[in-house]
Amino acid sequence: MRKRFANRSGNNYKQIEVNEDFFKGTACYVDFDSSEEPVIVFNGKTNVCIKKENYERITLYPLDGTYSITIMYNEKKELIEWYFDVSSSVGFENGIPYQNDLYLDMVILPTKEFFILDEDELLAAYHNKEIDETLLKHAYKTLEFLKEKYVNNFSDLKSFTKHVYDIIKTGDTYGS
């Protein structure tokens, strides 16, 4: 497993608490400046740039959750994708959220298409005894939860995402 902290690089970092029916937890926002090297990844369908100058990212860490959601925007403020990291746990260290990443990921595109990524990494970690059978089963159970909650409630995900983005950009208190 990899311990991954909220990404604080970029021009601007904000961290707010979210307390809504659809999601409760912490949202971390960052926008990227000209010093950022472009990052291009395969999202399950095609190669896509997810990080470069003037791109924005919001990562959500749910309370008592075992996943994070990273929402990525291009320089035109258009949604690129939602990226879900399955983890064994989410926590805080020195006030900064982190997750213990279990390798398995899911991407949802703005078209509602979704893709499962890095299952080979999860299985390799299991076969190499980096994780046990309990964590392997947990990863798949979390993935099923993510499909049910976010893919099957896609319109709620879109509305919630827009709402979180608007709140972060205006600086209003969220969930009041």
Side-chain angles (χ1 to χ4, degrees):
M1 275 187 294
R2 300 171 280 197
K3 189 174 194 177
R4 301 173 113 183
F5 285 87
N7 184 346
R8 298 181 66 187
S9 67
N11 271 349
N12 187 12
Y13 176 83
K14 293 180 186 176
Q15 185 173 312
I16 64 169
E17 297 308 309
V18 178
N19 187 15
E20 293 289 319
D21 290 338
F22 192 70
F23 180 90
K24 294 180 187 330
T26 302
C28 300
Y29 167 86
V30 64
D31 62 2
F32 299 106
D33 59 28
S34 60
S35 67
E36 298 292 332
E37 288 294 319
V39 174
I40 298 173
V41 298
F42 183 70
N43 67 4
K45 183 176 184 177
T46 187
N47 288 328
V48 61
C49 184
I50 60 166
K51 180 180 172 185
K52 72 177 190 178
E53 183 177 4
N54 296 320
Y55 275 42
E56 296 174 297
R57 178 179 295 166
I58 299 170
T59 304
L60 302 168
Y61 298 88
L63 287 176
D64 302 324
T66 56
Y67 64 94
S68 66
I69 308 168
T70 302
I71 309 160
M72 296 170 225
Y73 300 90
N74 66 20
E75 72 278 1
K76 296 176 185 174
K77 313 308 178 213
E78 299 165 330
L79 182 76
I80 299 169
E81 67 183 25
W82 293 270
Y83 190 93
F84 296 78
D85 277 300
V86 174
S87 59
S88 64
S89 61
V90 170
F92 287 85
E93 195 170 294
N94 299 319
I96 304 299
Y98 71 86
Q99 64 169 328
N100 289 308
D101 188 4
L102 279 177
Y103 311 102
L104 190 61
D105 305 308
M106 180 176 74
V107 171
I108 303 176
L109 302 180
T111 60
K112 193 182 174 184
E113 293 174 275
F114 73 96
F115 303 94
I116 308 308
L117 303 176
D118 302 330
E119 186 173 18
D120 57 333
E121 291 180 27
L122 172 68
L123 295 173
Y126 174 69
H127 292 300
N128 295 332
K129 301 191 185 320
E130 293 173 44
I131 64 169
D132 61 17
E133 186 175 351
T134 301
L135 284 175
L136 179 71
K137 288 179 180 178
H138 165 79
Y140 284 113
K141 183 178 177 184
T142 301
L143 180 63
E144 289 308 310
F145 167 80
L146 295 173
K147 285 189 223 175
E148 180 66 31
K149 180 168 176 119
Y150 297 106
V151 176
N152 292 348
N153 294 295
F154 186 68
S155 61
D156 291 340
L157 176 62
K158 286 188 344 185
S159 297
F160 170 75
T161 298
K162 182 181 179 334
H163 187 59
V164 168
Y165 183 84
D166 290 345
I167 295 300
I168 286 174
K169 295 303 280 187
T170 65
D172 290 341
T173 303
Y174 195 81
S176 299

